[in-house]
Amino acid sequence: MTHWMTDHDKPDEKSDLAVKTHTRPQRPPMYKVLMLNDDFTPMEFVVHVLERLFGMSHAQAIEIMLTVHRKGVAVVGVFSHEVAETKVAQVMELARRQQHPLQCTMEKE
């Protein structure tokens, strides 16, 4: 006896196709902006920089400044490469203009 395929018996065309895995676009790497301690930059200037360039409240800025002072370094934000680079440049320019040796760097998170 020959079996005739009906539409109901036909294999689903979609199941014959290779299964495509949906890969999410990879998130661009993020960068930590780090502020480094020195023995010359006034604490008030560091607080001012954190408030002005990183949008921190006065209390947040004091807390981060104290972390920099005690531990020698603190993360002041995490940004895309371009934003981190810009923030570092802004901090360095502001410090240079005020003749402070404040150092700011970035590293991949």
Side-chain angles (χ1 to χ4, degrees):
M1 177 174 180
T2 309
H3 180 69
W4 294 97
M5 271 200 235
T6 64
D7 282 345
H8 183 273
D9 296 324
K10 287 182 184 174
D12 185 7
E13 288 179 29
K14 290 178 186 170
S15 68
D16 289 347
L17 299 174
V19 177
K20 287 185 180 176
T21 56
H22 293 285
T23 55
R24 288 185 182 163
Q26 246 187 343
R27 224 175 87 200
M30 299 298 279
Y31 290 80
K32 296 184 283 192
V33 173
L34 306 163
M35 196 166 282
L36 309 175
N37 189 43
D38 65 71
D39 293 331
F40 305 101
T41 303
M43 291 179 176
E44 298 78 23
F45 179 75
V46 174
V47 169
H48 170 73
V49 167
L50 293 170
E51 290 172 341
R52 181 171 166 195
L53 299 180
F54 294 90
M56 293 183 187
S57 69
H58 190 68
Q60 288 173 316
I62 288 174
E63 191 177 322
I64 296 289
M65 176 274 297
L66 288 173
T67 301
V68 172
H69 181 69
R70 290 184 190 125
K71 296 188 175 181
V73 64
V75 175
V76 295
V78 178
F79 308 95
S80 67
H81 186 270
E82 294 76 21
V83 173
E85 210 170 43
T86 300
K87 295 280 187 193
V88 168
Q90 289 173 331
V91 170
M92 299 301 286
E93 175 60 20
L94 200 55
R96 187 190 61 75
R97 274 195 264 140
Q98 297 295 317
Q99 298 182 332
H100 296 306
L102 181 64
Q103 293 295 301
C104 189
T105 62
M106 62 188 263
E107 67 180 39
K108 207 171 194 175
E109 189 177 41

